[in-house]
mmCIF file of all heavy atoms in Angstrom:
data_model
loop_
_atom_site.group_PDB
_atom_site.id
_atom_site.type_symbol
_atom_site.label_atom_id
_atom_site.label_comp_id
_atom_site.label_asym_id
_atom_site.label_seq_id
_atom_site.Cartn_x
_atom_site.Cartn_y
_atom_site.Cartn_z
ATOM 1 N N SER A 57 -5.181 26.516 3.734
ATOM 2 C CA SER A 57 -5.570 27.678 4.433
ATOM 3 C C SER A 57 -4.627 27.944 5.713
ATOM 4 O O SER A 57 -4.522 29.022 6.252
ATOM 5 C CB SER A 57 -6.942 27.769 4.776
ATOM 6 O OG SER A 57 -7.237 26.944 5.804
ATOM 7 N N ILE A 70 5.743 21.913 -3.373
ATOM 8 C CA ILE A 70 5.383 20.530 -2.798
ATOM 9 C C ILE A 70 5.785 19.608 -4.012
ATOM 10 O O ILE A 70 6.450 18.601 -3.776
ATOM 11 C CB ILE A 70 3.969 20.409 -2.416
ATOM 12 C CG1 ILE A 70 3.593 21.250 -1.228
ATOM 13 C CG2 ILE A 70 3.672 18.872 -2.175
ATOM 14 C CD1 ILE A 70 2.181 21.135 -0.795
ATOM 15 N N ILE A 126 -5.338 14.812 -17.812
ATOM 16 C CA ILE A 126 -5.204 15.490 -16.527
ATOM 17 C C ILE A 126 -5.590 14.587 -15.444
ATOM 18 O O ILE A 126 -6.870 14.125 -15.464
ATOM 19 C CB ILE A 126 -5.746 16.865 -16.360
ATOM 20 C CG1 ILE A 126 -5.220 17.841 -17.454
ATOM 21 C CG2 ILE A 126 -5.744 17.394 -15.018
ATOM 22 C CD1 ILE A 126 -5.895 19.225 -17.540
ATOM 23 N N PRO A 152 -12.331 7.855 -0.393
ATOM 24 C CA PRO A 152 -13.298 7.731 0.681
ATOM 25 C C PRO A 152 -12.692 8.167 1.977
ATOM 26 O O PRO A 152 -11.485 8.011 2.325
ATOM 27 C CB PRO A 152 -13.385 6.153 0.750
ATOM 28 C CG PRO A 152 -12.159 5.704 0.153
ATOM 29 C CD PRO A 152 -11.661 6.522 -0.843
ATOM 30 N N LEU A 221 7.292 -1.259 23.457
ATOM 31 C CA LEU A 221 8.112 -2.325 23.665
ATOM 32 C C LEU A 221 9.421 -2.031 22.779
ATOM 33 O O LEU A 221 10.511 -2.414 23.250
ATOM 34 C CB LEU A 221 7.601 -3.642 23.178
ATOM 35 C CG LEU A 221 6.449 -4.233 24.054
ATOM 36 C CD1 LEU A 221 6.009 -5.552 23.511
ATOM 37 C CD2 LEU A 221 6.993 -4.433 25.409
#
Side-chain angles (χ1 to χ4, degrees):
S57 71
I70 298 173
I126 297 174
L221 290 179

